[in-house]
Amino acid sequence: MGRKGTMVEKDIDSQYLNETLTVKIFKPENFSPLYKYHICIMQDGDDYFQLGRMATVSDRLHEQNEIENTIFAGIHYKDRHDRWDKYHPDGQNNDAYMKFLVFEVAPLLDKELPSYHVGSCRVLMGDSLGGTVSLMTALKYPNNFGKIIMQSPYVDETVTSAVKESTEVQSMTIYHTIGKDEVEVPTTKGDKDDFLTPNREISEVLNERVSDYTYKELEGKHTWKQWQKDLPEAIKKIFGN
């Protein structure tokens, strides 16, 4: 079955990251410059399109009129080390990657697409470390991004402190999932981490502080099988009519 929407690619020569990155933009079938669109910026973009089947999810939810007009834009990484450098709070390119999202990706999408040009209609999404950098970017630049979808994010003291210190987090919309079996997750560095406990802990902080907060503990491990299965629910919750 072919896609109903259309995919276009735009390259950004990033002055922050000193490399050229491609943004893959998926427009729904009924795309028209006469409409306005919500924008969802996905870390791990190729994974969301391939393993998450994001284009199919978008096609179906738009067709069934379950979500408002939404464009999904994905950015990918070079390899797992590059991903760690950009997405992890301790990564050497983490700050530059956040600036890239705020000052290069968002303006490009605003220029190319009929979007609302406001943070409340811009969503950052990611799995694992991609969820972490989505949350951390929104906390640091709350006027630019008002909604977050994070599937099984990596959580440490830095992340929890950022939530506690944020004065803007209460006005955000956050969708947050973790798998009940995520107690021994293999990491980039070769260790195994318990993701479940810190996610439970930060969920209590978020639940106290964020008025529009959804938290779910799902059956499953730290894999795309779990994230893909939950993706339509996440998208409906954030972009639902």
Side-chain angles (χ1 to χ4, degrees), residues 26-187:
F26 188 72
K27 302 174 180 177
E29 184 181 21
N30 67 349
F31 178 81
S32 160
L34 302 175
Y35 301 147
K36 286 255 199 292
Y37 291 82
H38 295 264
I39 305 273
C40 183
I41 299 172
M42 310 181 295
Q43 324 319 317
D44 297 326
D46 291 359
D47 294 339
Y48 268 102
F49 282 125
Q50 288 158 19
L51 306 170
R53 304 199 273 280
M54 193 64 242
T56 307
V57 172
S58 171
D59 282 344
R60 194 180 78 225
L61 294 178
H62 278 105
E63 192 170 51
Q64 293 168 354
N65 202 28
E66 291 195 66
I67 58 171
E68 295 183 27
N69 290 329
T70 305
I71 289 167
F72 294 91
I75 302 145
H76 208 57
Y77 50 88
K78 288 189 284 222
D79 55 37
R80 63 197 183 101
H81 301 292
D82 177 59
R83 184 176 183 268
W84 196 93
D85 285 342
K86 285 173 178 159
Y87 295 179
H88 195 286
D90 298 334
Q92 61 186 33
N93 288 324
N94 183 242
D95 191 55
Y97 184 76
M98 291 190 198
K99 290 192 170 100
F100 159 73
L101 289 175
V102 174
F103 300 115
E104 296 179 324
V105 177
L108 169 87
L109 297 173
D110 281 349
K111 185 171 127 280
E112 296 286 333
L113 305 166
S115 65
Y116 287 95
H117 295 251
V118 289
S120 59
C121 294
R122 267 193 225 110
V123 179
L124 290 173
M125 177 161 80
D127 63 280
S128 196
L129 278 175
T132 312
V133 75
S134 295
L135 174 64
M136 295 294 278
T137 305
L139 291 174
K140 194 167 180 183
Y141 300 98
N143 296 335
N144 299 82
F145 304 105
K147 295 178 180 172
I148 303 138
I149 296 172
M150 48 184 189
Q151 298 182 292
S152 308
Y154 164 83
V155 176
D156 63 12
E157 279 302 309
T158 307
V159 180
T160 307
S161 296
V163 171
K164 287 178 177 170
E165 287 161 21
S166 168
T167 53
E168 306 283 339
V169 73
Q170 63 268 23
S171 60
M172 293 180 183
T173 298
I174 299 177
Y175 184 94
H176 174 197
T177 59
I178 186 72
K180 289 176 188 166
D181 298 333
E182 295 194 51
V183 286
E184 286 194 341
V185 177
T187 66

